């Protein structure tokens, strides 16, 4: 019946919207590179030694534990405390295990063995009982306080040692990184207890799904503290994102806020990290071998030789992190590198006067210095470019000052180079080095090195080695393109590698593509972070190519990737748009009941009432007016929360037509959920009738039976003593299974006797059909309330052995109001509602509430049920007024 009432054009539209949504979802969940992370393995059996906590602490946090990671002989030796290494604390994230520390812990142990344990790290890990803190934020503060106690316990394990640490380094995965940042907000916490914070795939900006107010309040507390106290926070922090493979936490959420007076924070995507260059998913970021190796190299470079602990020098810490995670010059880290190098020895000096030059050093080749005079080239060329396929860490390119042919000392330009997967390269803008008379390239006596000096070229059909293609007007998250690079080579027998690097100058989210030429290579071009308004940089496609090949570059818009960006950045707001559409249809049904005495079909009213122009103009107008001081003061005076559209704008996520697209997706979802709801109700009613087959149907239907108050009290007690979401679910199940029975009974009997009281009502087949339609819509609304309250129920069930009562409970206030409403509605028929004086008022509420859902619930999903229960409450009151 539901399908029969739908216009075929509308049905085709809903199917088309499903197709578009599928394209966007496919891009999010499958439109990325394959997993190129190497698995990290343990060389010996991993062991987790439980650290004994003080009894009071263990009693206060019965579900939490602290462990020390070890392997083989190291684990055996450290079963006898105290410890002598450098403490590192690993904090798992949402549903994360303390055992995830094993990858980085094992790599650190192997590195320590390589240097005969001159230095070594002790890796601790917290067991948070795999709590679902991304779904329920009520335990985040408790986790934070427990971590504080763990840090104090860890430092006591080193008491009495010669080089006892006074602080710990923290590695936080996912929500564990946020908990680490929250430590600074504790009243009695001393900032110098943490010397370094590394977060992996941590959503710092906002929660992925704001499902309860405790999560958003926690985020607000942490981020406001870091912003307001930025001048006083001296904690070096590194945030690493997973890139497009991580569809659970999009990389834009992991970027720490850039403040002019807080320069000790770095944010980078794993695809841009030197010697890693891969995108990781949300779990593989903790075991990706390439990334963990980079992290451990940085940790060992951070050690102070005097204290044998991580350095307290903030400048050095930032230099080390920049060296390993931002730009690697293909040299070992040096805190104070020598600028001037001695160019001595018995090496040959060979002058080179051509502008393009290639040298291949074979076996048994001598050490050679090649010199390139710059005086003549400055008149023709703007840049000098040099690349080498020898990836050792020695200095290899120098600059001579005021020299004729050779020099004894040269400026070491190797620190200006950049390491790439198969080459190291250097690009110099000649006007920045006016005092240099020569460039010197040093070739040691090894084989397989290739050096080229060339001017910068713009035309791609010439034989250049390096190109910069400016991607003008590319800086918004809703822009997405496909780049196709076709390479054609002539007379080339050996395999040649080209590297295409997308460089985003306003954020460290570069990505590299390695291609074997000749070939046709496709590159996705889309952003994690939009370009700031005051930033004038231009995104670049850097091409490290072969002089024997020609390259053709084509850039075209990718519609599927644009849809993917909409889903990636705004998919979490879809429930709000779905509920808004259902509310509009629900209001239409109540009004049709008031005006005609009949309840029209849900799908008909969804098509008629669920229009974007009924919602979006009010949100846009309000956002515009909030730009005026007087309106903002009035807004704050009535204690209204911040408009979600303003929140999105502050995160550079508000782009044209996004609300319209989401509204269309929401209406489509509302249609299919309505179809599912209607079908379910009819199937359940048919099943009840088949199983029960009552011999005689009741002659009257009562709105308020004697057992209803008792049922309400029981459900409210359940909500108070256990979990509000559990009581909501039980009330929902009561409503779902109650209504098909009543509706089907009423359909079976066309007439009953009429009574003058409201409690006894005559029902007809039309009344039964109207009731069934109305109940289907109400079930559709209640289903979304239940879905949005499920996270806290799942959390409560998982922790039931520790806590019988969920505290704090985000759903308890809602349950107290919703339980009586659902119980009354479960015994409601349209015949008792359409004669109510309150019906007209009830039918007018859904429209402003649909606007409110979009205005205040799209970025705060926990507010959505608060807008839904209001029209339901008025609907229930229509039985009595």
């Amino acid at each position: 019946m539901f399908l029969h009432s739908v216009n075929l054009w509308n049905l085709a539209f809903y199917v088309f919207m499903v197709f578009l949504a599928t394209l966007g979802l496919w891009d999010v969940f499958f439109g990325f590179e394959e997993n190129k992370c190497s698995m990290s393995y343990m060389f010996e059996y991993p062991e987790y030694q439980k650290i004994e906590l003080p009894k009071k602490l263990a009693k206060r946090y019965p579900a939490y534990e602290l462990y020390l990671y070890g392997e083989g002989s190291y684990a055996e030796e450290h079963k006898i405390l105290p410890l002598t290494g450098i403490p590192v604390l690993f904090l798992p994230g949402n549903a994360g295990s303390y055992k995830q520390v094993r990858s980085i812990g094992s790599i650190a142990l192997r590195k320590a063995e390589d240097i005969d344990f001159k230095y070594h790290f002790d890796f601790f890990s917290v067991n948070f009982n795999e709590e679902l803190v991304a779904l329920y934020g009520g335990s985040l503060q408790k986790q934070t306080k427990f971590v504080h106690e763990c840090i104090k316990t860890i430092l006591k394990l080193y008491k009495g040692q010669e080089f006892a640490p006074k602080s710990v380094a923290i590695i936080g995965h996912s929500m564990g990184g946020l908990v680490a940042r929250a430590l600074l907000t504790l009243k009695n916490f001393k900032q110098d207890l943490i010397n370094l914070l590394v977060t992996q795939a941590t959503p710092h900006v906002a929660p992925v799904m704001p499902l309860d107010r405790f999560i958003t309040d926690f985020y607000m507390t942490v981020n406001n503290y870091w912003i307001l106290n930025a001048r006083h926070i001296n904690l070096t922090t590194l945030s690493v994102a997973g890139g497009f493979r991580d569809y659970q936490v999009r990389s834009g959420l992991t970027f720490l806020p850039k403040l002019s007076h807080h320069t000790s924070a770095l944010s980078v995507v794993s695809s841009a990290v030197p010697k890693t260059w891969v995108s990781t998913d949300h779990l593989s970021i903790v075991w990706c071998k390439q990334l963990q190796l980079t992290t451990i190299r940085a940790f060992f470079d951070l050690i102070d030789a005097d204290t044998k602990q991580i350095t307290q020098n903030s400048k050095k810490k930032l230099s080390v992190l920049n060296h390993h995670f931002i730009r690697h010059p293909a040299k070992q880290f040096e805190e104070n590198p020598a600028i001037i190098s001695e160019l001595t020895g018995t090496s040959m000096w060979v002058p080179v006067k051509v502008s393009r030059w290639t040298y291949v050093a074979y076996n048994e080749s001598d050490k050679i210095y090649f010199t390139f005079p710059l005086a003549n080239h400055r008149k023709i060329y703007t840049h000098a470019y040099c690349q080498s396929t020898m990836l050792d860490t020695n200095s290899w390119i120098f600059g001579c000052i005021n020299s004729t042919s050779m020099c004894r000392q040269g400026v070491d330009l190797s620190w200006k180079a950049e390491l790439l997967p198969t080459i190291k390269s250097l690009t110099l803008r000649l006007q920045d080095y006016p005092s240099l008379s020569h460039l010197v390239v040093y070739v040691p006596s090894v084989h397989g090195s290739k050096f080229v000096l060339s001017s910068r070229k713009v035309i791609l059909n010439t034989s250049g080695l390096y190109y910069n293609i400016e991607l003008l007007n590319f800086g918004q998250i809703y822009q997405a393109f496909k780049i196709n690079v076709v390479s054609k080579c002539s007379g080339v027998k050996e395999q040649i590698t080209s590297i295409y690097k997308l460089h985003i100058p306003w954020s460290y989210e570069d990505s590299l593509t390695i291609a074997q030429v000749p070939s046709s290579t496709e590159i996705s071009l889309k952003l994690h972070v939009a370009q700031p308004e005051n930033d004038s940089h231009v995104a670049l496609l850097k091409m490290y190519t072969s002089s024997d090949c020609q390259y053709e570059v084509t850039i075209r818009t990718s519609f599927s990737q644009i849809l993917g960006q909409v889903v990636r950045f705004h998919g979490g707001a879809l429930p709000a748009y779905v509920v808004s559409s259902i509310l509009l249809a629900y209001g239409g049904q109540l009004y049709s009941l008031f005006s005609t005495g009949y309840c029209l079909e849900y799908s008909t009213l969804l098509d008629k009432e669920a229009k974007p122009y009924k919602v979006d103009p009010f949100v846009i107008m309000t956002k515009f007016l909030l730009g005026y001081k007087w309106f903002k003061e009035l807004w704050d005076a009535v204690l209204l929360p911040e408009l979600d559209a303003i929140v999105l704008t502050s995160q550079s996520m508000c782009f044209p037509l996004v609300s319209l697209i989401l509204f269309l997706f929401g209406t489509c979802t509302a249609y299919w959920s309505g179809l599912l709801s209607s079908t379910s109700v009819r199937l359940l009613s048919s099943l009840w009738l088949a199983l029960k087959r009552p011999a005689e149907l009741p002659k009257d239907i009562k709105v308020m039976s004697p057992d209803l108050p008792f049922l309400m009290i029981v459900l409210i007690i359940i909500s108070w003593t256990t979990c509000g979401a559990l009581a909501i679910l039980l009330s929902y199940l009561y409503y779902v299974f109650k209504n098909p029975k009543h509706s089907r009974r009423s359909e079976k009997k066309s007439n009953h006797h009429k009574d003058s009281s409201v409690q006894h009502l005559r029902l007809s087949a039309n009344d039964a059909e109207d009731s069934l339609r109305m109940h289907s819509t109400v079930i559709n609304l209640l289903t979304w309330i239940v879905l949005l309250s499920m996270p806290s129920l799942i959390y409560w069930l998982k922790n039931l052995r520790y806590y019988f009562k969920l505290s704090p409970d985000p759903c308890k206030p809602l349950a107290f109001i919703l339980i009586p409403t659902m119980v009354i509605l479960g015994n409601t028929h349209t015949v008792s509602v359409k004669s109510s004086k309150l019906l007209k008022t009830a039918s007018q509420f859904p429209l402003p509430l649909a606007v409110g859902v979009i205005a205040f619930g799209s970025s705060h999903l926990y507010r959505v049920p608060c807008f839904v229960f209001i029209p339901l409450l008025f609907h229930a009151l229509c039985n009595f007024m």
Side-chain angles (χ1 to χ4, degrees):
M1 185 195 71
F2 188 92
L3 279 173
H4 292 165
S5 64
V6 180
N7 183 290
L8 288 178
W9 286 108
N10 292 337
L11 183 61
F13 168 76
Y14 292 134
V15 172
F16 178 66
M17 293 307 299
V18 169
F19 171 72
L20 293 182
T22 303
L23 285 179
L25 290 169
W26 179 270
D27 180 71
V28 171
F29 293 106
F30 303 101
F32 42 70
E33 66 181 57
E34 62 181 8
N35 192 352
K36 297 179 182 178
C37 278
S38 301
M39 176 64 77
S40 51
Y41 295 97
M42 286 77 251
F43 287 84
E44 297 178 273
Y45 189 78
E47 295 187 32
Y48 305 90
Q49 179 184 347
K50 186 176 179 180
I51 303 298
E52 187 176 350
L53 299 173
K55 290 183 179 180
K56 287 185 179 179
L57 188 62
K59 188 176 181 180
R60 196 187 314 160
Y61 305 100
Y64 300 162
E65 297 169 321
L66 177 65
Y67 287 88
L68 171 65
Y69 177 80
E71 295 177 18
S73 58
Y74 170 86
E76 290 296 323
E77 291 172 4
H78 289 80
K79 285 181 179 179
I80 304 174
L81 304 174
L83 303 174
T84 58
I86 304 169
V88 180
L89 179 60
F90 176 80
L91 304 180
N94 176 58
S97 169
Y98 66 95
K99 295 183 178 180
Q100 290 175 310
V101 72
R102 62 183 176 269
S103 294
I104 193 165
S106 181
I107 291 173
L109 187 58
R110 301 284 85 77
K111 177 74 173 176
E113 288 178 348
D114 291 343
I115 59 174
D116 294 327
F117 284 93
K118 180 181 179 181
Y119 310 114
H120 74 274
F121 289 90
D122 299 319
F123 275 83
F124 297 86
S125 184
V126 174
N127 178 17
F128 285 134
N129 191 35
E130 301 184 10
E131 288 183 334
L132 303 170
V133 287
L135 303 180
Y136 169 74
S139 62
L140 286 167
Q141 190 68 19
K142 183 170 60 176
Q143 287 190 0
T144 305
K145 292 179 179 178
F146 180 73
V147 171
H148 184 198
E149 299 297 332
C150 285
I151 292 173
K152 292 189 287 187
T153 301
I154 289 169
L155 294 177
K156 288 178 183 178
L157 299 178
Y158 297 85
K159 193 173 182 180
Q161 298 300 308
E162 182 181 358
F163 299 101
K166 297 179 181 179
S167 58
V168 302
I170 294 182
I171 299 176
H173 172 240
S174 188
M175 295 297 286
L178 186 70
V179 168
R181 287 180 64 215
L183 286 167
L184 275 64
T185 66
L186 298 178
K187 289 183 179 179
N188 300 321
F189 185 80
K190 297 178 180 178
Q191 189 184 140
D192 55 6
L193 288 178
I194 308 176
N195 52 48
L196 177 69
L197 173 58
V198 177
T199 66
Q200 299 173 336
T202 296
H204 291 294
V205 176
V208 177
M209 294 289 284
L211 296 171
D212 66 54
R213 63 182 178 84
F214 304 121
I215 295 179
T216 54
D217 289 349
F218 189 81
Y219 265 89
M220 188 176 296
T221 300
V222 173
N223 286 332
N224 285 348
Y225 181 90
W226 277 64
I227 291 172
L228 296 174
N229 298 276
R231 295 181 184 277
H232 310 292
I233 295 177
N234 196 31
L235 174 60
T236 303
T237 308
L238 171 70
S239 175
V240 183
F244 288 110
R245 280 193 62 85
D246 189 352
Y247 51 78
Q248 294 185 47
V249 177
R250 61 177 179 83
S251 297
L253 291 176
T254 69
F255 278 67
L256 293 160
K258 290 184 178 180
L259 303 173
S260 58
H261 43 273
H262 186 208
T263 57
S264 58
L266 289 175
S267 303
V268 63
V269 180
S270 60
S271 59
V273 175
K275 296 191 176 182
T276 301
W277 295 307
V278 296
S279 178
T280 65
D281 59 53
H282 196 63
L283 292 179
S284 68
I285 197 169
V286 300
W287 56 255
C288 181
K289 187 177 181 179
Q290 295 96 313
L291 182 60
Q292 302 310 325
L293 282 171
T294 299
T295 305
I296 291 303
R297 291 188 197 104
F299 271 45
F300 275 88
D301 280 342
L302 286 166
I303 297 174
D304 187 320
D306 296 329
T307 63
K308 295 190 177 180
Q309 296 293 325
I310 289 180
T311 180
Q312 296 299 317
N313 187 330
S314 298
K315 186 177 179 181
K316 178 182 177 180
K317 283 190 280 191
L318 207 59
S319 297
V320 170
L321 295 180
N322 269 292
H323 179 94
H324 288 282
F325 287 90
I326 305 300
R327 185 184 177 93
H328 198 297
K331 288 179 65 65
Q332 298 287 357
F333 174 78
E334 294 181 24
E335 186 174 359
N336 298 302
I339 299 175
I340 304 298
S341 297
E342 298 290 331
L343 306 180
T344 57
T346 57
S347 304
M348 295 175 54
W349 287 76
V350 179
V352 179
K353 297 182 180 180
V354 295
S355 60
R356 294 184 182 89
W357 169 82
T358 301
Y359 177 80
V360 179
Y362 296 97
N363 292 331
E364 307 301 328
S365 60
D366 295 328
K367 299 177 183 179
I368 305 175
Y369 286 107
F370 291 94
T371 62
F372 301 84
L374 298 177
N376 295 330
H377 294 306
R378 288 183 186 276
K379 300 175 183 178
I380 305 173
Y381 301 112
T382 60
H383 291 70
Y385 173 79
C386 191
Q387 72 179 35
S388 170
T389 57
M390 185 173 61
L391 303 181
D392 65 343
T393 58
N394 296 318
S395 295
W396 61 285
I397 186 165
F398 308 90
C400 290
I401 300 175
N402 300 324
S403 174
T404 54
S405 60
M406 61 179 292
C407 55
R408 295 183 177 275
Q409 291 183 329
V411 178
D412 192 348
L413 299 174
S414 307
W415 293 102
K416 304 290 184 181
E418 180 182 14
L419 179 65
L420 295 167
T422 58
I423 61 171
K424 54 186 178 183
S425 68
L426 174 68
T427 304
L428 295 177
R429 192 167 67 166
L430 296 181
Q431 69 179 42
D432 293 340
Y433 299 90
S435 61
L436 295 186
S437 59
H438 289 73
L439 287 182
V440 178
V441 175
Y442 173 62
V443 181
S445 56
V446 291
H447 69 282
S449 296
K450 182 178 180 179
F451 301 93
V452 181
L453 180 67
S454 175
S455 61
R456 178 187 176 195
K457 298 294 179 183
V458 178
I459 303 172
L460 295 187
N461 58 3
T462 59
S463 55
L465 283 164
Y466 171 71
Y467 304 103
N468 264 348
I469 300 178
E470 293 187 343
L471 305 171
L472 300 174
N473 301 316
F474 174 66
Q476 302 301 322
I477 57 173
Y478 59 84
Q479 295 175 301
F481 303 92
K482 286 277 183 73
I483 300 178
N484 187 255
V485 182
V486 178
S487 55
K488 298 178 181 180
C489 307
S490 57
V492 176
K493 296 182 180 180
E494 62 180 13
Q495 193 176 52
I496 299 175
T497 300
S498 291
I499 300 173
Y500 312 130
K501 178 179 180 179
L502 288 172
H503 175 59
I504 311 300
W506 56 84
S507 61
Y508 299 116
E509 54 176 287
D510 297 3
S511 60
L512 284 82
T513 302
I514 303 173
Q516 303 296 330
V517 296
S519 64
S520 177
T521 305
E522 191 173 75
I523 305 169
S524 293
L525 178 59
K526 50 194 175 187
L527 293 172
H528 296 292
V529 179
Q531 186 174 17
E533 291 183 2
N534 57 352
D535 193 297
S536 59
H537 291 92
V538 178
L540 299 172
L541 173 62
K542 297 185 175 184
M543 301 176 61
Y544 303 86
T545 59
S546 169
S547 58
D548 299 317
C549 302
Q550 292 183 343
Y551 296 82
E552 179 182 306
V553 179
T554 306
I555 302 178
R556 66 181 187 278
T557 301
S558 175
F559 182 66
S560 63
Q561 289 192 96
I562 291 175
L563 291 174
Q565 290 291 81
V566 172
V567 173
R568 181 175 289 108
F569 282 84
H570 297 279
L574 185 62
Y577 285 86
V578 176
V579 171
S580 180
S581 295
I582 299 174
L583 279 173
L584 291 172
Y586 178 50
Q589 284 186 315
L590 290 174
Y591 186 76
S592 70
L593 193 63
F594 164 75
S595 59
T596 66
Y598 297 99
C599 180
L600 297 181
E601 189 67 55
Y602 168 79
S603 59
T604 303
L605 287 168
L606 183 70
D607 176 53
K608 180 182 177 181
E609 300 293 337
K611 303 297 183 183
Y613 60 78
K614 293 188 175 184
V615 175
D616 280 346
F618 293 98
V619 178
I620 295 170
M621 181 71 70
T622 305
K623 181 185 174 184
F624 172 76
L625 290 174
L626 282 169
Y628 291 95
K629 186 178 179 181
W630 65 269
F631 190 81
K632 182 69 169 66
E633 290 175 350
L634 179 63
W635 185 275
D636 294 336
V638 294
L639 303 178
L640 287 173
E642 188 174 27
L643 201 69
D644 282 359
I646 294 178
V647 176
L648 295 177
T649 302
S650 67
Q651 297 175 11
S652 301
M653 286 174 55
C654 230
F655 57 83
L657 301 180
V658 66
S659 187
L660 174 62
I661 295 170
L662 287 173
F663 197 94
L664 295 176
F665 283 162
T667 305
C668 174
T669 308
Y671 166 77
W672 292 110
S673 66
L675 174 60
L676 180 63
S677 174
S678 177
T679 305
S680 301
V681 169
R682 294 179 182 278
L683 286 176
L684 286 171
S685 61
S686 299
L687 180 63
W688 183 91
L689 192 63
L691 293 175
K692 290 289 183 181
R693 295 187 180 277
E696 185 179 354
L697 295 172
K699 294 183 179 181
D700 55 47
I701 299 295
K702 294 182 179 180
V703 174
M704 199 71 177
S705 58
D707 60 333
L708 288 187
F710 175 75
L711 178 62
M712 291 181 197
I713 293 171
V714 170
L715 290 171
I716 289 173
I717 290 174
I718 291 173
S719 173
W720 179 263
T721 57
T722 58
C723 173
L726 174 64
I728 291 174
L729 177 62
L730 293 175
S731 304
Y732 171 77
L733 294 175
Y734 166 81
Y735 184 91
V736 169
F737 287 100
K738 179 80 172 175
N739 284 291
K741 179 170 64 174
H742 279 188
S743 301
R744 209 59 179 175
R745 278 177 174 177
S746 303
E747 273 186 40
K748 202 71 178 170
K749 190 85 171 176
S750 61
N751 289 296
H752 293 292
H753 74 276
K754 183 176 181 180
D755 194 280
S756 59
S757 68
V758 180
Q759 299 289 332
H760 303 278
L761 305 164
R762 191 183 71 163
L763 300 177
S764 66
N766 288 335
D767 291 329
E769 188 63 35
D770 287 346
S771 296
L772 193 60
R773 290 171 177 169
M774 186 62 75
H775 286 311
S776 297
T777 304
V778 172
I779 286 175
N780 199 2
L781 276 174
L782 292 176
T783 300
W784 286 96
I785 291 181
V786 171
L787 288 175
L788 291 172
S789 63
M790 276 299 96
S792 62
L793 176 61
I794 295 170
Y795 178 90
W796 175 75
L797 289 172
K798 193 173 185 301
N799 292 273
L800 192 55
R801 57 176 174 164
Y802 300 107
Y803 314 103
F804 186 72
K805 180 180 180 181
L806 181 64
S807 180
D809 189 346
C811 295
K812 188 176 293 182
L814 177 66
F816 287 165
I817 302 174
L818 203 57
I819 288 170
T821 304
M822 281 195 282
V823 171
I824 294 171
L825 286 176
N827 291 269
T828 297
H829 289 265
T830 54
V831 69
S832 65
V833 173
K834 60 186 178 183
S835 60
S836 171
K837 297 178 180 179
L838 195 61
L839 181 57
K840 183 178 180 181
T841 304
S843 67
Q844 293 171 343
F845 266 91
L847 175 58
L849 292 172
V851 176
V853 166
I854 302 303
F856 302 108
S858 55
S859 294
H860 299 82
L861 291 178
Y862 64 90
R863 294 174 181 166
V864 172
C866 301
F867 290 95
V868 174
F869 86 81
I870 296 175
L872 294 176
L873 179 61
F874 275 87
H875 186 174
L877 291 175
C878 286
N879 289 281
F880 308 102
M881 300 176 66

